Amino acid sequence: MTRDGPTTPQWDLIRAFLALERHGSYEVAAELEGIDDSTLRRRIRLLEQHFGRALFVRAEGGWRASADLNALISAAQRMEEAARSFCQDHHAGAGVIRISVMDVFAQRFAPVFAALSEKYPKLVFTITTEAHFVNLEQDQVDIAVRLARPERNSNALRVRKLGDVAVGAYASDAYLRRAAELAHENHQLLAMNLQFFHQDHHFIYASLDWSRFGLSGQVRFQSDSFAPLAQLCALGQGLALLPKFLAAEYPQLVAHPSNVFVDTQLWLVSRFDMHAAWQRDLADMLQAEMARWPQ
C-alpha cells in the first residue's frame, strides 16, 4: 500500500533537530536527549537526507539552523507542543458531554452535575430530558440515566446499576378519603405513557400492573413524565404509581393503604469505557446521591 504525498520525518529526528538548534552543541544536545553523540549526529544526517540539504551551519555560538529555516523551526516547535499535550494526563477530560435523563431524575441529580462541573471545569455537560429510550449512537448521546437496562444490541455500551428506586401507589389524602366515603373500588388512574419501544430493555416499571397494588379503575390522565403525574395526583385527580423520592416532595400525597412498594432499577448507560476519572466520579456520585433518597 502506498501513501500519497511526502512522508513526515520520524519524531525522534525532529527532536534531534530542535535539540541541536537550541543548544548549538552535539554533545550538550545529545546528553539532554538521553542519547549518545553519534546517535544525535546520525539523526541529523537522516533528516538532512530527507530534505536533501544541510540544515545547520556553524556560527560563533555553535551550530545553528540555516537562516532560511525559520518556518521549519516553528513547525517543529508546534509539533513538540502538540506531543507534550498528547502525553499529558487526559483523565480529567475536556469537551462537551451529552447526557439524557428523565426530568425528575435530572432535577434530583442537579447537585451531582454541579459538583462534577466544579471538579472538571473543562467539561461542558449538555443535559436533555428523555420521554423515551434514546439510541445513544443514533441520537449522538454519550450517557443515559434511565429506569431500564438495555438487553440487546448493547455490546458497544457500558452499563452500571446506580441503585433501586422504590415505586408505590400514591394519591392525595383528600382523594383517598373521598373514595373511602363513596366506597369506590374503581379509581381514577394517572398513568405513565409507555407507548414508546422498550422491548429491548429490562424495564421493571413497564411491567407493573395496577392489580399488584390492589387497584383497578379507569385511566383519566396519561403523561410521559412523572412530574405532571405527581402534580395531578397532589391536586386530587387520582392515583399514580410514583417513585417514593418524588412523592416525598409533595406533602399532599400519601401511599395507598395497600402499602405495596416495588423496587425498580436505575441504570447508567454509557458509550464511554468508564475508565476515565470523571466517568468513574460521575457514577460514584450518582450512586451516593441515590443513597440519600427515601427508600
Side-chain angles (χ1 to χ4, degrees):
M1 181 177 179
T2 60
R3 297 180 180 178
D4 296 331
T7 60
T8 302
Q10 294 181 1
W11 174 234
D12 58 355
L13 305 186
I14 298 171
R15 285 185 57 177
F17 172 81
L18 281 173
L20 185 56
E21 160 61 20
R22 285 169 175 160
H23 304 293
S25 164
Y26 278 94
E27 292 78 8
V28 174
E31 181 179 356
L32 292 175
E33 283 295 297
I35 56 179
D36 56 46
D37 178 86
S38 61
T39 299
L40 185 72
R41 291 179 182 275
R42 179 175 56 81
R43 291 178 179 178
I44 295 298
R45 284 197 302 272
L46 288 172
L47 199 59
E48 289 179 332
Q49 290 173 10
H50 175 84
F51 285 103
R53 57 164 292 180
L55 299 179
F56 290 89
V57 296
R58 186 181 290 278
E60 184 176 345
W63 292 97
R64 290 289 177 265
S66 297
D68 61 338
L69 295 180
N70 285 339
L72 190 63
I73 295 171
S74 297
Q77 290 171 340
R78 291 194 298 272
M79 292 176 70
E80 181 184 50
E81 181 61 30
R84 185 180 297 115
S85 176
F86 194 86
C87 293
Q88 292 173 354
D89 182 6
H90 286 279
H91 283 277
V96 178
I97 308 301
R98 294 152 297 189
I99 300 178
S100 178
V101 57
M102 291 183 69
D103 50 3
V104 293
F105 293 106
Q107 294 170 3
R108 292 296 299 224
F109 287 136
V112 170
F113 298 138
L116 201 69
S117 179
E118 290 180 4
K119 187 171 183 179
Y120 300 99
K122 293 184 179 180
L123 289 175
V124 176
F125 294 96
T126 298
I127 301 170
T128 59
T129 54
E130 64 176 20
H132 63 282
F133 297 157
V134 300
N135 184 303
L136 272 66
E137 293 183 359
Q138 292 181 4
D139 296 306
Q140 296 185 326
V141 171
D142 300 308
I143 293 174
V145 178
R146 58 178 57 142
L147 281 173
R149 185 189 194 283
E151 292 187 319
R152 294 199 295 269
N153 301 324
S154 60
N155 292 336
L157 302 175
R158 296 294 182 270
V159 181
R160 175 170 169 176
K161 183 180 176 181
L162 296 175
D164 292 326
V165 178
V167 171
Y170 287 90
S172 70
D173 185 59
Y175 172 85
L176 290 177
R177 282 191 280 106
R178 185 168 66 252
E181 291 172 359
L182 297 175
H184 279 173
E185 294 184 0
N186 289 326
H187 290 277
Q188 297 175 169
L189 305 178
L190 315 177
M192 179 69 74
N193 183 354
L194 302 174
Q195 299 305 309
F196 61 89
F197 182 78
H198 56 263
Q199 282 69 25
D200 56 348
H201 284 70
H202 179 55
F203 189 14
I204 296 175
Y205 185 89
S207 65
L208 296 181
D209 187 88
W210 293 97
S211 62
R212 188 168 182 176
F213 299 85
L215 298 170
S216 62
Q218 299 296 318
V219 174
R220 184 175 182 185
F221 288 100
Q222 282 187 321
S223 175
D224 55 11
S225 168
F226 282 123
L229 292 182
Q231 292 170 344
L232 288 165
C233 206
L235 292 171
Q237 297 301 301
L239 283 144
L241 303 182
L242 301 173
K244 183 181 285 189
F245 77 83
L246 178 61
E249 297 178 3
Y250 294 84
Q252 307 95 320
L253 295 184
V254 296
H256 184 264
S258 64
N259 206 33
V260 175
F261 288 89
V262 176
D263 281 337
T264 61
Q265 300 168 341
L266 193 68
W267 297 86
L268 184 148
V269 185
S270 174
R271 290 204 293 168
F272 300 122
D273 61 11
M274 301 306 294
H275 289 165
W278 74 264
Q279 297 164 17
R280 296 194 304 269
D281 282 347
L282 171 61
D284 292 344
M285 292 164 72
L286 291 174
Q287 284 186 308
E289 175 63 25
M290 284 192 69
R292 290 190 281 269
W293 296 358
Q295 295 295 333

